[in-house]
Amino acid sequence: NDKAGMITRKSWQGVKDGIDGILNYGMEDSDDKAAAQIIRTTLAPTLWFCYNAAFEQANRSRHKRDDITSASQYFEQTVEEYLRGIGELSEASGGMSQSPRLLHSDARLLKLDNGTKVDAILTSPPYPGVYDYMKHAREQRAKLKTNVAHHHVSKENTVGDFMTTDIPSSRNWPDTWSRGEIGSNKSLRKNWKTFKSDWQRDTDDWIAQMAFLLGASGSRMAVMIGDGFGIDVLESTLAATRRLPEDIGLELVASATLRRKGERTEHMVLLERT
């Protein structure tokens, strides 16, 4: 515990050391090295995700809890919440005929094996000109300081993965960590004159790709998004559907808009494959 209940950045070193210990367990024993490698590859992303989530919660005043007084308690609580969520997801998907798969991809380029189609899509794309998600991801990755070589995490099929990207010694991050973000605040600041047209082009592209991935007529996509930089994203979303080819058309089923004084206007849009 820290003095006077304060949890400082230094407080988290013990948690990081503990994670390091778990991920390095068995690596010195040649008999168990293969098994340890599998465990490490599986656990590393989960443990570091929980670490970051716990760190963020502890350092945001609106998320702080009076009953937690140490970094390790925040981490343990986050892991418990993560496991509980996984359990609920597993229970809810118990009737599925196949196991879920996680894919890392730009939504504008996402492709599935053997022309696979889906029945439903639930998504929430970035709000125009509001956030810089890539910058935040780089900051969080840099805080960990742990590199790939230290954990021997396999890089196979994990392009752009959070824990399999080495932290650069300079500011030169890989392109997947620094370019191509849809609707970033950085792109707005860089060229506000073309921001709206760039936003609409990206919206057209990702909606067209999602429409292509939807299966038979009646398949649906739900989109949650909020306005930004004077852009009515409900209209920009519907405009993108009007430009789709007939063979992958989408039509509006319903929409709902939430307007709150002093807060960003948000929309829920339900689209159906024609």
Side-chain angles (χ1 to χ4, degrees):
N1 289 13
D2 300 293
K3 293 182 179 180
M6 295 295 291
I7 303 176
T8 64
R9 185 177 294 273
K10 187 177 180 180
S11 311
W12 291 90
Q13 187 59 50
V15 179
K16 292 176 68 175
D17 290 344
I19 295 175
D20 281 336
I22 293 172
L23 298 179
N24 283 317
Y25 181 78
M27 286 305 296
E28 302 302 324
D29 188 337
S30 59
D31 293 335
D32 294 335
K33 197 167 185 177
Q37 176 65 47
I38 295 174
I39 293 173
R40 176 178 297 103
T41 304
T42 304
L43 283 181
T46 299
L47 291 176
W48 289 122
F49 170 81
C50 290
Y51 173 91
N52 272 282
F55 183 89
E56 286 295 302
Q57 186 181 53
N59 285 279
R60 291 184 180 180
S61 58
R62 66 190 179 96
H63 292 304
K64 288 183 177 178
R65 295 178 45 170
D66 295 334
D67 59 328
I68 298 181
T69 59
S70 71
S72 61
Q73 286 180 311
Y74 267 107
F75 179 72
E76 290 170 4
Q77 178 69 25
T78 302
V79 171
E80 289 176 2
E81 292 174 355
Y82 179 89
L83 293 175
R84 185 162 54 249
I86 291 295
E88 292 172 355
L89 177 62
S90 177
E91 182 178 350
S93 60
M96 294 179 63
S97 60
Q98 57 185 342
S99 300
R101 287 194 303 153
L102 297 179
L103 305 176
H104 295 265
S105 176
D106 185 323
R108 294 164 289 187
L109 306 172
L110 178 61
K111 295 181 179 180
L112 302 178
D113 297 338
N114 302 318
T116 300
K117 301 294 184 178
V118 300
D119 297 319
I121 294 173
L122 175 62
T123 184
S124 180
Y127 295 7
V130 178
Y131 303 111
D132 286 312
Y133 288 111
M134 284 187 171
K135 178 183 177 182
H136 179 71
R138 293 194 300 270
E139 290 173 347
Q140 295 305 310
R141 180 67 185 89
K143 286 177 183 177
L144 295 177
K145 295 185 172 60
T146 306
N147 60 34
V148 175
H150 180 63
H151 286 311
H152 311 280
V153 177
S154 171
K155 289 187 177 182
E156 294 181 6
N157 302 319
T158 53
V159 177
D161 185 77
F162 192 76
M163 283 307 301
T164 58
T165 298
D166 290 309
I167 302 171
S169 56
S170 63
R171 298 179 65 182
N172 298 320
W173 287 79
D175 286 350
T176 52
W177 284 71
S178 58
R179 297 182 182 181
E181 182 177 347
I182 296 176
S184 68
N185 182 261
K186 179 181 179 180
S187 62
L188 170 60
R189 299 193 310 270
K190 185 176 181 180
N191 196 341
W192 63 270
K193 291 183 179 180
T194 65
F195 182 80
K196 285 188 177 182
S197 60
D198 292 342
W199 164 265
Q200 189 62 59
R201 182 198 64 231
D202 287 332
T203 299
D204 290 352
D205 288 347
W206 77 256
I207 285 182
Q209 189 59 28
M210 294 302 101
F212 174 77
L213 294 176
L214 282 172
S217 175
S219 301
R220 291 184 170 187
M221 174 167 68
V223 183
M224 179 179 176
I225 195 168
D227 294 347
F229 189 59
I231 296 177
D232 181 339
V233 295
L234 175 58
E235 174 52 35
S236 69
T237 300
L238 296 179
T241 66
R242 291 193 288 269
R243 282 188 275 271
L244 290 171
E246 289 186 7
D247 60 335
I248 55 170
L250 291 173
E251 65 179 8
L252 177 67
V253 175
S255 68
T257 297
L258 179 61
R259 295 183 176 89
R260 292 168 293 182
K261 185 177 181 180
E263 296 189 35
R264 195 171 308 283
T265 298
E266 294 180 306
H267 312 272
M268 181 65 81
V269 187
L270 182 61
L271 302 168
E272 184 174 272
R273 187 80 153 69
T274 57

Short mmCIF file of all heavy atoms in Angstrom, two decimals, residues 190-243:
data_model
loop_
_atom_site.label_atom_id
_atom_site.label_comp_id
_atom_site.label_asym_id
_atom_site.label_seq_id
_atom_site.Cartn_x
_atom_site.Cartn_y
_atom_site.Cartn_z
N LYS A 190 -4.66 18.74 -38.67
CA LYS A 190 -3.69 18.79 -39.76
C LYS A 190 -4.29 19.43 -41.02
O LYS A 190 -3.62 20.21 -41.71
CB LYS A 190 -3.20 17.38 -40.09
CG LYS A 190 -2.10 17.34 -41.12
CD LYS A 190 -1.60 15.92 -41.31
CE LYS A 190 -0.48 15.85 -42.33
NZ LYS A 190 0.01 14.46 -42.51
N ASN A 191 -5.54 19.10 -41.32
CA ASN A 191 -6.16 19.65 -42.53
C ASN A 191 -7.67 19.71 -42.35
O ASN A 191 -8.39 18.82 -42.81
CB ASN A 191 -5.78 18.83 -43.75
CG ASN A 191 -6.07 19.55 -45.05
OD1 ASN A 191 -6.85 20.50 -45.09
ND2 ASN A 191 -5.44 19.11 -46.13
N TRP A 192 -8.16 20.73 -41.70
CA TRP A 192 -9.57 20.83 -41.41
C TRP A 192 -10.42 21.06 -42.67
O TRP A 192 -11.60 20.71 -42.72
CB TRP A 192 -9.85 21.93 -40.40
CG TRP A 192 -9.49 23.32 -40.87
CD1 TRP A 192 -8.30 23.95 -40.71
CD2 TRP A 192 -10.34 24.23 -41.57
NE1 TRP A 192 -8.35 25.21 -41.28
CE2 TRP A 192 -9.59 25.40 -41.81
CE3 TRP A 192 -11.65 24.17 -42.02
CZ2 TRP A 192 -10.11 26.51 -42.48
CZ3 TRP A 192 -12.19 25.27 -42.69
CH2 TRP A 192 -11.41 26.42 -42.91
N LYS A 193 -9.79 21.63 -43.72
CA LYS A 193 -10.53 21.92 -44.94
C LYS A 193 -11.01 20.66 -45.66
O LYS A 193 -12.06 20.66 -46.30
CB LYS A 193 -9.67 22.77 -45.88
CG LYS A 193 -9.42 24.18 -45.37
CD LYS A 193 -8.63 24.99 -46.39
CE LYS A 193 -8.40 26.41 -45.90
NZ LYS A 193 -7.64 27.22 -46.89
N THR A 194 -10.23 19.60 -45.57
CA THR A 194 -10.61 18.36 -46.27
C THR A 194 -11.15 17.31 -45.31
O THR A 194 -11.47 16.19 -45.74
CB THR A 194 -9.39 17.75 -47.01
OG1 THR A 194 -8.40 17.35 -46.05
CG2 THR A 194 -8.79 18.77 -47.98
N PHE A 195 -11.26 17.65 -44.03
CA PHE A 195 -11.64 16.65 -43.04
C PHE A 195 -13.00 16.03 -43.33
O PHE A 195 -13.16 14.80 -43.27
CB PHE A 195 -11.63 17.25 -41.63
CG PHE A 195 -11.96 16.25 -40.56
CD1 PHE A 195 -11.01 15.37 -40.09
CD2 PHE A 195 -13.25 16.17 -40.03
CE1 PHE A 195 -11.32 14.41 -39.12
CE2 PHE A 195 -13.57 15.23 -39.06
CZ PHE A 195 -12.59 14.36 -38.61
N LYS A 196 -13.99 16.83 -43.65
CA LYS A 196 -15.33 16.30 -43.88
C LYS A 196 -15.37 15.35 -45.08
O LYS A 196 -16.00 14.28 -45.01
CB LYS A 196 -16.33 17.44 -44.09
CG LYS A 196 -16.70 18.17 -42.80
CD LYS A 196 -17.82 19.16 -43.04
CE LYS A 196 -18.23 19.83 -41.73
NZ LYS A 196 -19.37 20.78 -41.91
N SER A 197 -14.70 15.71 -46.15
CA SER A 197 -14.69 14.83 -47.32
C SER A 197 -13.90 13.56 -47.05
O SER A 197 -14.29 12.47 -47.50
CB SER A 197 -14.11 15.57 -48.54
OG SER A 197 -12.78 15.99 -48.29
N ASP A 198 -12.80 13.67 -46.29
CA ASP A 198 -12.03 12.49 -45.92
C ASP A 198 -12.86 11.57 -45.03
O ASP A 198 -12.83 10.34 -45.19
CB ASP A 198 -10.75 12.89 -45.18
CG ASP A 198 -9.76 13.61 -46.07
OD1 ASP A 198 -9.88 13.51 -47.31
OD2 ASP A 198 -8.85 14.29 -45.53
N TRP A 199 -13.60 12.17 -44.10
CA TRP A 199 -14.46 11.39 -43.20
C TRP A 199 -15.52 10.63 -44.00
O TRP A 199 -15.74 9.44 -43.78
CB TRP A 199 -15.13 12.31 -42.19
CG TRP A 199 -16.30 11.69 -41.50
CD1 TRP A 199 -17.62 11.79 -41.84
CD2 TRP A 199 -16.26 10.79 -40.39
NE1 TRP A 199 -18.40 11.04 -41.00
CE2 TRP A 199 -17.58 10.42 -40.10
CE3 TRP A 199 -15.23 10.28 -39.61
CZ2 TRP A 199 -17.91 9.55 -39.07
CZ3 TRP A 199 -15.56 9.42 -38.57
CH2 TRP A 199 -16.88 9.06 -38.31
N GLN A 200 -16.16 11.31 -44.96
CA GLN A 200 -17.20 10.66 -45.74
C GLN A 200 -16.62 9.54 -46.59
O GLN A 200 -17.24 8.48 -46.73
CB GLN A 200 -17.91 11.68 -46.64
CG GLN A 200 -19.15 11.12 -47.32
CD GLN A 200 -20.21 10.68 -46.33
OE1 GLN A 200 -20.70 11.46 -45.52
NE2 GLN A 200 -20.59 9.40 -46.37
N ARG A 201 -15.43 9.75 -47.16
CA ARG A 201 -14.80 8.70 -47.96
C ARG A 201 -14.52 7.47 -47.12
O ARG A 201 -14.80 6.34 -47.53
CB ARG A 201 -13.48 9.22 -48.55
CG ARG A 201 -12.76 8.22 -49.44
CD ARG A 201 -11.31 8.59 -49.63
NE ARG A 201 -10.59 8.55 -48.37
CZ ARG A 201 -9.83 9.55 -47.92
NH1 ARG A 201 -9.71 10.69 -48.60
NH2 ARG A 201 -9.20 9.44 -46.76
N ASP A 202 -13.98 7.67 -45.90
CA ASP A 202 -13.70 6.54 -45.01
C ASP A 202 -14.99 5.85 -44.57
O ASP A 202 -15.04 4.61 -44.45
CB ASP A 202 -12.92 7.01 -43.78
CG ASP A 202 -11.48 7.35 -44.11
OD1 ASP A 202 -10.93 6.77 -45.07
OD2 ASP A 202 -10.89 8.20 -43.40
N THR A 203 -16.03 6.65 -44.33
CA THR A 203 -17.32 6.07 -43.96
C THR A 203 -17.88 5.23 -45.09
O THR A 203 -18.39 4.12 -44.88
CB THR A 203 -18.31 7.19 -43.58
OG1 THR A 203 -17.80 7.92 -42.45
CG2 THR A 203 -19.68 6.61 -43.21
N ASP A 204 -17.79 5.75 -46.31
CA ASP A 204 -18.23 4.99 -47.48
C ASP A 204 -17.48 3.66 -47.57
O ASP A 204 -18.09 2.60 -47.85
CB ASP A 204 -17.98 5.79 -48.77
CG ASP A 204 -18.90 6.99 -48.91
OD1 ASP A 204 -19.83 7.13 -48.09
OD2 ASP A 204 -18.66 7.79 -49.83
N ASP A 205 -16.17 3.70 -47.33
CA ASP A 205 -15.33 2.51 -47.49
C ASP A 205 -15.65 1.43 -46.46
O ASP A 205 -15.80 0.26 -46.81
CB ASP A 205 -13.85 2.90 -47.39
CG ASP A 205 -13.36 3.66 -48.60
OD1 ASP A 205 -14.09 3.68 -49.62
OD2 ASP A 205 -12.26 4.25 -48.54
N TRP A 206 -15.77 1.82 -45.16
CA TRP A 206 -15.98 0.77 -44.16
C TRP A 206 -17.41 0.21 -44.23
O TRP A 206 -17.62 -0.99 -44.01
CB TRP A 206 -15.61 1.24 -42.75
CG TRP A 206 -16.55 2.15 -42.03
CD1 TRP A 206 -16.42 3.49 -41.83
CD2 TRP A 206 -17.76 1.76 -41.33
NE1 TRP A 206 -17.47 3.97 -41.08
CE2 TRP A 206 -18.29 2.93 -40.76
CE3 TRP A 206 -18.41 0.56 -41.15
CZ2 TRP A 206 -19.47 2.93 -40.02
CZ3 TRP A 206 -19.59 0.55 -40.40
CH2 TRP A 206 -20.10 1.73 -39.84
N ILE A 207 -18.37 1.07 -44.55
CA ILE A 207 -19.74 0.57 -44.68
C ILE A 207 -19.86 -0.37 -45.88
O ILE A 207 -20.53 -1.41 -45.81
CB ILE A 207 -20.73 1.74 -44.78
CG1 ILE A 207 -20.91 2.38 -43.39
CG2 ILE A 207 -22.08 1.28 -45.33
CD1 ILE A 207 -21.90 3.50 -43.32
N ALA A 208 -19.18 -0.05 -46.97
CA ALA A 208 -19.22 -0.92 -48.14
C ALA A 208 -18.61 -2.28 -47.83
O ALA A 208 -19.14 -3.33 -48.24
CB ALA A 208 -18.48 -0.27 -49.31
N GLN A 209 -17.52 -2.28 -47.05
CA GLN A 209 -16.88 -3.54 -46.72
C GLN A 209 -17.74 -4.37 -45.77
O GLN A 209 -17.84 -5.59 -45.89
CB GLN A 209 -15.50 -3.29 -46.10
CG GLN A 209 -14.64 -4.52 -45.92
CD GLN A 209 -14.39 -5.25 -47.24
OE1 GLN A 209 -14.39 -4.65 -48.31
NE2 GLN A 209 -14.19 -6.56 -47.16
N MET A 210 -18.38 -3.72 -44.81
CA MET A 210 -19.27 -4.43 -43.90
C MET A 210 -20.49 -4.99 -44.65
O MET A 210 -20.94 -6.10 -44.39
CB MET A 210 -19.73 -3.50 -42.77
CG MET A 210 -18.62 -3.06 -41.82
SD MET A 210 -17.74 -4.42 -41.00
CE MET A 210 -16.24 -4.50 -42.01
N ALA A 211 -21.01 -4.21 -45.58
CA ALA A 211 -22.15 -4.68 -46.37
C ALA A 211 -21.77 -5.90 -47.18
O ALA A 211 -22.56 -6.84 -47.33
CB ALA A 211 -22.64 -3.56 -47.29
N PHE A 212 -20.55 -5.92 -47.68
CA PHE A 212 -20.06 -7.06 -48.45
C PHE A 212 -19.97 -8.31 -47.59
O PHE A 212 -20.21 -9.43 -48.05
CB PHE A 212 -18.69 -6.72 -49.04
CG PHE A 212 -18.03 -7.87 -49.75
CD1 PHE A 212 -18.44 -8.26 -51.02
CD2 PHE A 212 -17.01 -8.59 -49.13
CE1 PHE A 212 -17.83 -9.33 -51.66
CE2 PHE A 212 -16.41 -9.67 -49.77
CZ PHE A 212 -16.82 -10.04 -51.05
N LEU A 213 -19.61 -8.13 -46.30
CA LEU A 213 -19.44 -9.27 -45.39
C LEU A 213 -20.77 -9.81 -44.87
O LEU A 213 -20.83 -10.94 -44.40
CB LEU A 213 -18.55 -8.88 -44.22
CG LEU A 213 -17.09 -8.56 -44.56
CD1 LEU A 213 -16.35 -8.09 -43.31
CD2 LEU A 213 -16.40 -9.77 -45.17
N LEU A 214 -21.82 -9.00 -44.91
CA LEU A 214 -23.12 -9.48 -44.46
C LEU A 214 -23.65 -10.55 -45.42
O LEU A 214 -23.42 -10.49 -46.62
CB LEU A 214 -24.13 -8.33 -44.38
CG LEU A 214 -24.01 -7.42 -43.15
CD1 LEU A 214 -24.93 -6.21 -43.30
CD2 LEU A 214 -24.33 -8.18 -41.87
N GLY A 215 -24.38 -11.50 -44.86
CA GLY A 215 -24.85 -12.63 -45.65
C GLY A 215 -26.11 -12.34 -46.45
O GLY A 215 -26.23 -11.31 -47.10
N ALA A 216 -27.06 -13.22 -46.33
CA ALA A 216 -28.27 -13.15 -47.13
C ALA A 216 -29.14 -11.95 -46.76
O ALA A 216 -28.91 -11.29 -45.74
CB ALA A 216 -29.07 -14.44 -46.96
N SER A 217 -30.12 -11.69 -47.59
CA SER A 217 -31.08 -10.63 -47.32
C SER A 217 -31.68 -10.82 -45.93
O SER A 217 -32.06 -11.93 -45.55
CB SER A 217 -32.19 -10.66 -48.37
OG SER A 217 -33.19 -9.71 -48.07
N GLY A 218 -31.75 -9.73 -45.17
CA GLY A 218 -32.24 -9.81 -43.80
C GLY A 218 -31.16 -9.74 -42.76
O GLY A 218 -31.44 -9.50 -41.58
N SER A 219 -29.90 -9.95 -43.15
CA SER A 219 -28.79 -9.79 -42.20
C SER A 219 -28.71 -8.33 -41.80
O SER A 219 -29.01 -7.43 -42.60
CB SER A 219 -27.47 -10.23 -42.86
OG SER A 219 -27.53 -11.57 -43.27
N ARG A 220 -28.28 -8.08 -40.57
CA ARG A 220 -28.36 -6.71 -40.06
C ARG A 220 -27.04 -6.20 -39.47
O ARG A 220 -26.21 -6.99 -39.03
CB ARG A 220 -29.46 -6.61 -39.00
CG ARG A 220 -30.86 -6.76 -39.57
CD ARG A 220 -31.95 -6.56 -38.53
NE ARG A 220 -33.27 -6.47 -39.14
CZ ARG A 220 -34.39 -6.17 -38.49
NH1 ARG A 220 -34.34 -5.96 -37.18
NH2 ARG A 220 -35.53 -6.08 -39.12
N MET A 221 -26.93 -4.87 -39.47
CA MET A 221 -25.78 -4.20 -38.86
C MET A 221 -26.28 -3.05 -37.99
O MET A 221 -27.05 -2.20 -38.44
CB MET A 221 -24.82 -3.65 -39.93
CG MET A 221 -23.69 -2.81 -39.33
SD MET A 221 -22.35 -2.46 -40.51
CE MET A 221 -23.18 -1.36 -41.67
N ALA A 222 -25.85 -3.04 -36.73
CA ALA A 222 -26.19 -1.96 -35.80
C ALA A 222 -24.95 -1.09 -35.61
O ALA A 222 -23.86 -1.60 -35.35
CB ALA A 222 -26.65 -2.52 -34.47
N VAL A 223 -25.13 0.21 -35.74
CA VAL A 223 -24.02 1.16 -35.66
C VAL A 223 -24.33 2.20 -34.59
O VAL A 223 -25.38 2.84 -34.62
CB VAL A 223 -23.80 1.88 -37.01
CG1 VAL A 223 -22.60 2.81 -36.93
CG2 VAL A 223 -23.66 0.88 -38.14
N MET A 224 -23.41 2.35 -33.63
CA MET A 224 -23.53 3.41 -32.63
C MET A 224 -22.43 4.42 -32.88
O MET A 224 -21.25 4.07 -32.95
CB MET A 224 -23.39 2.85 -31.21
CG MET A 224 -23.48 3.93 -30.14
SD MET A 224 -23.35 3.27 -28.47
CE MET A 224 -23.38 4.80 -27.53
N ILE A 225 -22.81 5.69 -33.03
CA ILE A 225 -21.82 6.70 -33.37
C ILE A 225 -22.31 8.07 -32.90
O ILE A 225 -23.50 8.28 -32.68
CB ILE A 225 -21.57 6.70 -34.89
CG1 ILE A 225 -20.30 7.47 -35.24
CG2 ILE A 225 -22.77 7.21 -35.64
CD1 ILE A 225 -19.83 7.27 -36.66
N GLY A 226 -21.37 9.00 -32.73
CA GLY A 226 -21.71 10.33 -32.26
C GLY A 226 -21.21 11.41 -33.19
O GLY A 226 -20.25 11.21 -33.95
N ASP A 227 -21.87 12.57 -33.16
CA ASP A 227 -21.49 13.69 -34.01
C ASP A 227 -20.16 14.30 -33.57
O ASP A 227 -19.72 14.13 -32.43
CB ASP A 227 -22.57 14.78 -33.96
CG ASP A 227 -23.88 14.32 -34.56
OD1 ASP A 227 -23.89 13.28 -35.24
OD2 ASP A 227 -24.90 15.02 -34.36
N GLY A 228 -19.55 15.04 -34.48
CA GLY A 228 -18.31 15.75 -34.20
C GLY A 228 -17.97 16.67 -35.34
O GLY A 228 -18.30 16.38 -36.50
N PHE A 229 -17.32 17.79 -35.05
CA PHE A 229 -16.88 18.76 -36.05
C PHE A 229 -18.01 19.16 -37.00
O PHE A 229 -17.84 19.29 -38.20
CB PHE A 229 -15.69 18.21 -36.86
CG PHE A 229 -15.05 19.25 -37.75
CD1 PHE A 229 -14.52 20.42 -37.22
CD2 PHE A 229 -14.99 19.06 -39.12
CE1 PHE A 229 -13.94 21.38 -38.05
CE2 PHE A 229 -14.42 20.00 -39.96
CZ PHE A 229 -13.89 21.17 -39.41
N GLY A 230 -19.18 19.35 -36.44
CA GLY A 230 -20.31 19.80 -37.25
C GLY A 230 -20.83 18.76 -38.23
O GLY A 230 -21.60 19.09 -39.14
N ILE A 231 -20.42 17.52 -38.08
CA ILE A 231 -20.86 16.45 -38.99
C ILE A 231 -22.03 15.70 -38.37
O ILE A 231 -21.93 15.20 -37.25
CB ILE A 231 -19.71 15.47 -39.29
CG1 ILE A 231 -18.58 16.19 -40.02
CG2 ILE A 231 -20.21 14.29 -40.10
CD1 ILE A 231 -17.37 15.32 -40.28
N ASP A 232 -23.12 15.64 -39.07
CA ASP A 232 -24.27 14.82 -38.67
C ASP A 232 -23.97 13.40 -39.13
O ASP A 232 -24.15 13.07 -40.30
CB ASP A 232 -25.55 15.35 -39.32
CG ASP A 232 -26.79 14.56 -38.91
OD1 ASP A 232 -26.64 13.40 -38.47
OD2 ASP A 232 -27.91 15.09 -39.05
N VAL A 233 -23.50 12.56 -38.21
CA VAL A 233 -23.05 11.23 -38.62
C VAL A 233 -24.20 10.31 -39.00
O VAL A 233 -24.00 9.33 -39.72
CB VAL A 233 -22.18 10.58 -37.52
CG1 VAL A 233 -20.89 11.35 -37.33
CG2 VAL A 233 -22.94 10.45 -36.22
N LEU A 234 -25.40 10.61 -38.54
CA LEU A 234 -26.55 9.83 -39.00
C LEU A 234 -26.72 10.03 -40.49
O LEU A 234 -26.89 9.06 -41.25
CB LEU A 234 -27.82 10.26 -38.25
CG LEU A 234 -29.12 9.61 -38.72
CD1 LEU A 234 -29.05 8.09 -38.63
CD2 LEU A 234 -30.30 10.14 -37.91
N GLU A 235 -26.63 11.26 -40.92
CA GLU A 235 -26.77 11.56 -42.35
C GLU A 235 -25.59 11.01 -43.14
O GLU A 235 -25.77 10.47 -44.24
CB GLU A 235 -26.89 13.07 -42.57
CG GLU A 235 -26.89 13.50 -44.03
CD GLU A 235 -27.91 12.75 -44.89
OE1 GLU A 235 -29.01 12.42 -44.38
OE2 GLU A 235 -27.60 12.49 -46.07
N SER A 236 -24.37 11.13 -42.61
CA SER A 236 -23.21 10.63 -43.35
C SER A 236 -23.26 9.10 -43.47
O SER A 236 -22.83 8.54 -44.50
CB SER A 236 -21.91 11.06 -42.66
OG SER A 236 -21.73 10.40 -41.42
N THR A 237 -23.80 8.42 -42.45
CA THR A 237 -23.95 6.97 -42.52
C THR A 237 -24.97 6.57 -43.57
O THR A 237 -24.73 5.68 -44.39
CB THR A 237 -24.38 6.41 -41.15
OG1 THR A 237 -23.38 6.73 -40.17
CG2 THR A 237 -24.56 4.90 -41.21
N LEU A 238 -26.10 7.25 -43.58
CA LEU A 238 -27.14 6.94 -44.57
C LEU A 238 -26.69 7.31 -45.98
O LEU A 238 -27.03 6.63 -46.95
CB LEU A 238 -28.43 7.67 -44.21
CG LEU A 238 -29.08 7.26 -42.88
CD1 LEU A 238 -30.35 8.05 -42.62
CD2 LEU A 238 -29.37 5.76 -42.86
N ALA A 239 -25.91 8.39 -46.09
CA ALA A 239 -25.38 8.78 -47.40
C ALA A 239 -24.49 7.69 -47.96
O ALA A 239 -24.50 7.41 -49.16
CB ALA A 239 -24.60 10.09 -47.28
N ALA A 240 -23.71 7.05 -47.08
CA ALA A 240 -22.83 5.96 -47.52
C ALA A 240 -23.64 4.78 -48.02
O ALA A 240 -23.27 4.12 -49.00
CB ALA A 240 -21.93 5.53 -46.36
N THR A 241 -24.77 4.48 -47.37
CA THR A 241 -25.60 3.35 -47.82
C THR A 241 -26.23 3.63 -49.18
O THR A 241 -26.45 2.70 -49.97
CB THR A 241 -26.72 3.03 -46.80
OG1 THR A 241 -27.66 4.12 -46.74
CG2 THR A 241 -26.14 2.79 -45.42
N ARG A 242 -26.50 4.90 -49.47
CA ARG A 242 -27.12 5.24 -50.76
C ARG A 242 -26.13 5.07 -51.92
O ARG A 242 -26.55 4.99 -53.08
CB ARG A 242 -27.65 6.67 -50.72
CG ARG A 242 -28.85 6.85 -49.80
CD ARG A 242 -29.54 8.18 -50.02
NE ARG A 242 -28.76 9.30 -49.53
CZ ARG A 242 -28.86 9.81 -48.30
NH1 ARG A 242 -29.72 9.28 -47.43
NH2 ARG A 242 -28.12 10.84 -47.92
N ARG A 243 -24.86 5.02 -51.60
CA ARG A 243 -23.86 4.87 -52.66
C ARG A 243 -23.43 3.41 -52.87
O ARG A 243 -22.55 3.13 -53.68
CB ARG A 243 -22.63 5.73 -52.33
CG ARG A 243 -22.83 7.20 -52.62
CD ARG A 243 -21.53 7.97 -52.46
NE ARG A 243 -21.32 8.36 -51.09
CZ ARG A 243 -21.76 9.51 -50.56
NH1 ARG A 243 -22.46 10.34 -51.30
NH2 ARG A 243 -21.52 9.81 -49.30
#
